């Protein structure tokens, strides 16, 4: 009896201490700086090590086992470890010890899924800190992963949580240590794929995340030769999820990940026409399926309707982005064929931007315009009003992208088709420049005006446009557009000399200054700019000499050129 009482009192003291340690650490995470969390990490570790698996204690009439409490400590260690990501050195000794503890716990074959899930979460949190020292444990971990990704006949939340944790740690290994994890990359793909249709939504999302991470890593790991074969199987599987899964959050994740895969892997992701047709069918299905949205909305109470309406709205915008990236994997003629079917939906999406607070639409349209090149001509009348509306987007990034896309659209469109819209576009660009406070956007406006001139110097209202264009130069931030400026100057000088005589001095000044200030990075274009300036000198020597006397940067440039020759 005395032994029982001693054991009970000892266990009671451990559990009481455990509560104090855990609560103190939780409070510290919320209030203390990173460095001050180190003692709490160590104290939680030491207390956990003292608590044996057999320890039990009766609390409120219920027997409490170690396994019922240990996950709390593991979760706290994970929270603290994530605070040290990018600053891992102070935590490294303790993190190494915690990693060893995790492996020991897995090897004890603890069947409690909540406990095992917390172990995987901690392994993931420790990865950026422990780094390559984890490599020796990969075979052990993968042995447990094989078992923990098996689909059970009955679903419950603990099963689901465990599988999410397993998939996320695999994804992190692939992302942060791809070369070291290479021997296990194909098994990772196998384990992730078998959970793609699992009952839990979060598991399906984690499965898609893991699959896309593996596919994106394949090429850099020397599996490039297997990519077409692998994508021929997996891309249709993922596309089918878009059509079959009734959870908007899962569908959005698949659409987003596929778009990223297409953008990274290009043609390898779409190895044949059959795969291309399956992918397009899934995109087309998202845009055309009204019934699905209505049926899904009816399944949820009114309090959740706004959430699901937002999810479906986001799905449409992500589908547009996926389609744009899909184009990277296609021959231009095939992309054009699909674009003819999909483009009417862009008008509908454009009307939904404000309601959905979307900041992706114009990036998608811009990619489509760039990929179509001169094939975009027949869609000019449809696309340019959409891009004009983008000039007023609340996001500076989206305004800039819409303006850039407008310039590319004009440059790639047949002259006669675009000329009638030039006055409206010219006015909108100048208004945008004058009302804009963002220097990068102002430079992009000048780039678009330059492309208008390059596309059709005969068709643009050159008399008024030249003044608007030249008076707003030079560029102040987006110096990549200086190449466009140089192209415009050369075109005007060689083909419209009489009309630009008044601007020759300004053209020469801008050309020399962009070189003198190193605002042209490409050596070829830098040389072309210098050659162009010296051609102007042949006809306007006095103006050239004036530039040397007026600007010290130009004087230094000319001296360096003269000295080099």
């Amino acid at each position: 009896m005395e032994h029982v009482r001693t054991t009970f009192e000892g266990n009671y003291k451990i559990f009481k201490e455990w509560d104090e340690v855990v609560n103190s650490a939780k409070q510290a995470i919320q209030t203390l700086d990173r460095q001050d969390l180190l003692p709490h990490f160590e104290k939680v570790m030491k207390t956990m090590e003292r608590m044996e698996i057999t320890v039990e204690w009766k609390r409120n009439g219920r027997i409490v086992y170690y396994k019922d409490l240990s996950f709390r400590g593991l979760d706290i260690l994970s929270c603290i470890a994530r605070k040290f990501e990018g600053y891992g050195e102070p935590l490294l000794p303790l993190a190494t010890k915690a990693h060893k503890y995790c492996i020991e716990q897995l090897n004890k074959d603890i069947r409690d899924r909540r406990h095992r899930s917390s172990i995987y979460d901690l392994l993931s949190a420790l990865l950026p800190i422990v780094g390559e020292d984890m490599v020796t444990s990969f075979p052990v971990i993968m042995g447990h992963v094989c078992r923990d990704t098996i689909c059970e006949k009955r679903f419950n939340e603990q099963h689901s949580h465990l599988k999410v944790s397993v998939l996320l740690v695999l994804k992190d290994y692939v992302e942060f240590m791809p070369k070291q994890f290479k021997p296990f990359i194909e098994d990772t793909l196998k384990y992730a794929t078998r959970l793609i249709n699992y009952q839990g939504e979060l598991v399906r999302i984690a499965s898609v995340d893991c699959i896309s991470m593996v596919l994106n890593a394949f090429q850099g790991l020397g599996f490039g030769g297997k990519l077409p074969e692998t994508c021929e199987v997996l891309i249709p599987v993922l596309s089918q999820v878009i059509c079959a899964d009734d959870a908007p959050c899962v569908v959005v994740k698949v659409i987003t990940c596929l778009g990223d895969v297409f953008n990274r892997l290009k043609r390898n992701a779409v190895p044949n026409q059959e795969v291309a047709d399956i992918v397009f069918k899934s995109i087309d299905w998202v845009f055309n399926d009204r019934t699905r949205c209505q049926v899904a909305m009816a399944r949820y109470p009114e309090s959740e309707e706004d959430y699901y309406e937002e999810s479906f709205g986001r799905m449409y915008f992500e589908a547009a982005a996926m389609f744009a990236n899909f184009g990277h994997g296609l021959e231009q003629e095939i992309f054009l064929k699909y674009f003819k079917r999909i483009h009417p939906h862009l008008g509908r999406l454009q009307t939904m931007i404000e309601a959905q607070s979307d900041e992706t639409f114009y990036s998608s349209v811009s990619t489509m315009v760039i990929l179509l090149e001169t094939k975009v001509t027949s869609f000019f009348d449809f696309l340019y009003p959409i891009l004009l509306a983008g000039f007023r987007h609340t996001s500076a990034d989206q305004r800039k992208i819409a303006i850039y896309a407008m310039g590319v659209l004009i440059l790639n469109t047949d002259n006669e088709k675009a000329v009638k819209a030039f006055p409206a576009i010219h006015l909108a660009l100048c208004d945008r420049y004058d009302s804009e406070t963002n220097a990068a956007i102002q430079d992009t406006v000048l780039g678009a005006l330059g492309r208008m001139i390059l596309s059709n110097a005969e068709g643009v209202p050159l008399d008024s446009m030249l003044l608007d264009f030249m008076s707003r130069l030079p560029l102040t931030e987006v110096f990549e557009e200086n190449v466009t400026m140089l192209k415009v100057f050369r075109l005007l000088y060689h083909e419209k000399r009489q009309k630009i005589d008044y601007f020759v001095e300004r053209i020469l000044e801008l050309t020399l200054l962009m070189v003198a200030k190193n605002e042209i990075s490409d050596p070829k274009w830098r040389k072309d700019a210098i050659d162009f300036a010296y051609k102007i000198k042949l006809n306007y020597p006095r103006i050239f000499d004036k530039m040397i006397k007026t600007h010290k940067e130009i004087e230094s440039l000319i001296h360096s050129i003269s000295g080099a020759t």
Side-chain angles (χ1 to χ4, degrees):
M1 196 68 184
E2 184 66 28
H3 170 72
V4 172
R5 183 166 55 250
T6 303
T7 302
F8 177 83
E9 289 175 353
N11 290 351
Y12 172 79
K13 286 179 65 177
I14 292 175
F15 278 96
K16 189 171 185 298
E17 179 186 346
W18 178 241
D19 275 344
E20 292 172 355
V21 166
V22 167
N23 291 332
S24 174
K26 284 175 68 175
Q27 182 68 25
I29 290 170
Q30 296 173 357
T31 58
L32 297 182
D33 293 334
R34 184 188 302 111
Q35 287 292 124
D36 297 327
L37 294 175
L38 289 171
H40 292 277
F41 191 98
E42 185 173 17
K43 192 175 290 185
V44 171
M45 274 292 304
K46 284 183 176 179
T47 310
M48 286 180 67
E49 288 170 342
R50 287 173 55 208
M51 295 172 70
E52 296 295 331
I53 196 74
T54 54
V55 171
E56 61 182 54
W57 176 52
K58 203 166 186 177
R59 174 189 281 173
N60 297 328
R62 183 174 68 87
I63 293 178
V64 180
Y65 293 95
Y66 163 79
K67 67 181 182 181
D68 296 322
L69 297 176
S70 60
F71 71 83
R72 293 172 61 199
L74 292 165
D75 291 348
I76 283 172
L77 293 179
S78 295
C79 288
I80 295 176
R82 293 191 191 283
K83 297 270 188 182
F84 282 83
E85 186 171 344
Y87 306 89
E89 190 173 344
L91 187 63
L92 182 57
L94 290 171
T96 304
K97 190 175 180 181
H99 174 253
K100 182 181 176 183
Y101 175 81
C102 287
I103 303 304
E104 290 171 353
Q105 290 294 299
L106 284 176
N107 287 336
K108 284 181 179 179
D109 200 30
I110 298 170
R111 297 189 178 277
D112 182 78
R113 291 177 178 83
R114 182 69 182 86
H115 183 89
R116 294 176 70 82
S117 175
S118 294
I119 292 172
Y120 287 117
D121 288 343
L122 180 53
L123 284 170
S124 180
L126 294 171
L127 174 59
I129 301 166
V130 179
E132 293 190 7
D133 289 343
M134 276 192 168
V135 172
T136 55
S137 66
F138 284 167
V140 176
I141 293 169
M142 291 304 289
H144 293 285
V145 164
C146 179
R147 182 187 70 178
D148 289 333
T149 52
I150 293 172
C151 296
E152 302 87 354
K153 292 181 180 178
R154 290 189 301 172
F155 168 81
N156 67 44
E157 286 300 322
Q158 283 197 357
H159 293 161
S160 180
H161 196 87
L162 172 59
K163 285 168 174 51
V164 170
S165 298
V166 171
L167 289 167
L168 290 181
V169 77
L170 291 176
K171 172 182 168 288
D172 285 347
Y173 286 157
V174 175
E175 182 176 6
F176 293 110
M177 301 183 69
K179 292 181 180 177
Q180 295 85 345
F181 199 62
K182 180 179 177 179
F184 310 99
I185 203 88
E186 292 180 278
D187 282 343
T188 296
L189 195 58
K190 179 177 71 176
Y191 299 147
T193 303
R194 71 187 184 190
L195 293 171
I196 193 72
N197 293 314
Y198 192 76
Q199 189 172 344
E201 292 177 9
L202 293 178
V203 176
R204 301 200 298 276
I205 288 173
S207 169
V208 172
D209 242 346
C210 192
I211 291 169
S212 65
M213 185 62 68
V214 171
L215 288 177
N216 289 334
F218 252 40
Q219 190 133 358
L221 293 174
F223 292 104
K226 292 185 177 182
L227 258 179
E229 178 186 349
T230 305
C231 288
E232 188 175 11
V233 175
L234 286 179
I235 298 300
V237 168
L238 291 170
S239 298
Q240 186 57 38
V241 172
I242 294 174
C243 300
D245 204 301
D246 62 357
C249 57
V250 177
V251 176
V252 168
K253 171 56 72 174
V254 176
I255 290 171
T256 305
C257 286
L258 274 177
D260 185 50
V261 168
F262 294 138
N263 188 40
R264 288 172 183 264
L265 302 185
K266 308 294 191 284
R267 299 286 173 86
N268 279 326
V270 192
N272 56 51
Q273 187 60 49
E274 184 180 356
V275 171
D277 287 340
I278 291 170
V279 173
F280 178 74
K281 182 181 177 182
S282 70
I283 297 171
D284 190 51
W285 192 81
V286 170
F287 282 132
N288 285 293
D289 184 33
R290 302 286 195 282
T291 306
R292 178 183 179 209
C293 182
Q294 293 167 356
V295 170
M297 289 287 289
R299 290 169 44 214
Y300 300 100
E302 287 186 20
S303 60
E304 297 183 19
E305 280 188 8
D306 288 345
Y307 168 75
Y308 281 93
E309 186 175 351
E310 182 180 338
S311 294
F312 278 103
R314 185 176 168 220
M315 188 190 302
Y316 295 135
F317 284 105
E318 292 294 346
M322 174 183 162
F323 177 73
N325 286 321
F326 180 42
H328 292 298
L330 301 172
E331 297 284 351
Q332 191 180 72
E333 288 297 328
I334 302 299
F335 185 58
L336 176 63
K337 181 183 77 171
Y338 293 147
F339 184 79
K340 287 178 180 177
R341 292 178 56 184
I342 218 83
H343 82 273
H345 298 292
L346 299 178
R348 177 163 63 93
L349 284 177
Q350 193 267 323
T351 65
M352 296 167 59
I353 289 174
E354 186 174 349
Q356 293 292 326
S357 301
D358 175 74
E359 295 190 4
T360 63
F361 177 71
Y362 289 103
S363 302
S364 304
V365 175
S366 177
T367 301
M368 295 175 205
V369 169
I370 291 168
L371 289 172
L372 286 168
E373 295 179 330
T374 56
K375 300 289 195 305
V376 81
T377 292
S378 57
F379 304 100
F380 178 84
D381 289 339
F382 172 79
L383 287 171
Y384 93 79
I386 289 177
L387 293 174
L388 271 180
F391 291 10
R392 301 185 299 275
H393 198 287
T394 54
S395 162
D397 187 52
Q398 288 295 291
R399 290 199 301 277
K400 181 184 174 186
I401 290 169
I403 292 163
Y404 176 79
M406 180 69 85
V408 175
L409 175 67
I410 291 168
L411 192 61
N412 287 337
T413 299
D414 179 80
N415 292 340
E416 294 181 5
K417 188 84 172 175
V419 161
K420 61 183 180 181
F422 276 7
I425 297 172
H426 172 209
L427 180 62
L429 286 169
C430 290
D431 286 348
R432 182 73 262 159
Y433 184 99
D434 294 338
S435 61
E436 187 62 64
T437 57
N438 185 303
I441 296 177
Q442 290 180 320
D443 287 354
T444 307
V445 168
L446 294 172
L449 288 170
R451 289 179 179 85
M452 285 181 70
I453 297 171
L454 289 173
S455 70
N456 190 347
E458 298 294 335
V460 297
L462 202 56
D463 291 339
S464 61
M465 193 170 179
L466 262 182
L467 182 61
D468 290 334
F469 180 63
M470 299 298 295
S471 64
R472 289 169 171 81
L473 287 168
L475 304 177
T476 58
E477 192 167 313
V478 187
F479 297 122
E480 295 85 353
E481 288 288 8
N482 269 328
V483 172
T484 304
M485 303 303 111
L486 184 57
K487 289 178 181 179
V488 172
F489 297 161
R490 292 195 310 186
L491 173 71
L492 294 174
Y493 185 77
H494 292 306
E495 297 184 17
K496 299 289 179 183
R497 181 87 59 85
Q498 291 180 338
K499 285 196 171 186
I500 66 151
D501 193 64
Y502 175 77
F503 295 105
V504 167
E505 181 175 333
R506 182 67 171 146
I507 287 173
L508 180 60
E509 180 182 37
L510 290 166
T511 301
L512 287 169
L513 282 174
M514 66 175 71
V515 177
K517 293 181 178 181
N518 293 314
E519 291 173 358
I520 298 182
S521 57
D522 189 314
K524 176 191 175 298
W525 284 106
R526 182 180 174 85
K527 180 179 181 302
D528 284 357
I530 294 168
D531 291 345
F532 174 58
Y534 274 90
K535 283 180 182 178
I536 295 177
K537 179 185 179 183
L538 293 175
N539 294 309
Y540 300 89
R542 290 184 179 179
I543 294 177
F544 194 91
D545 291 340
K546 179 183 176 182
M547 291 300 105
I548 295 174
K549 293 175 182 177
T550 307
H551 298 281
K552 288 185 177 180
E553 302 102 316
I554 294 176
E555 182 183 13
S556 298
L557 172 68
I558 301 304
H559 285 164
S560 67
I561 294 171
S562 301
T565 56

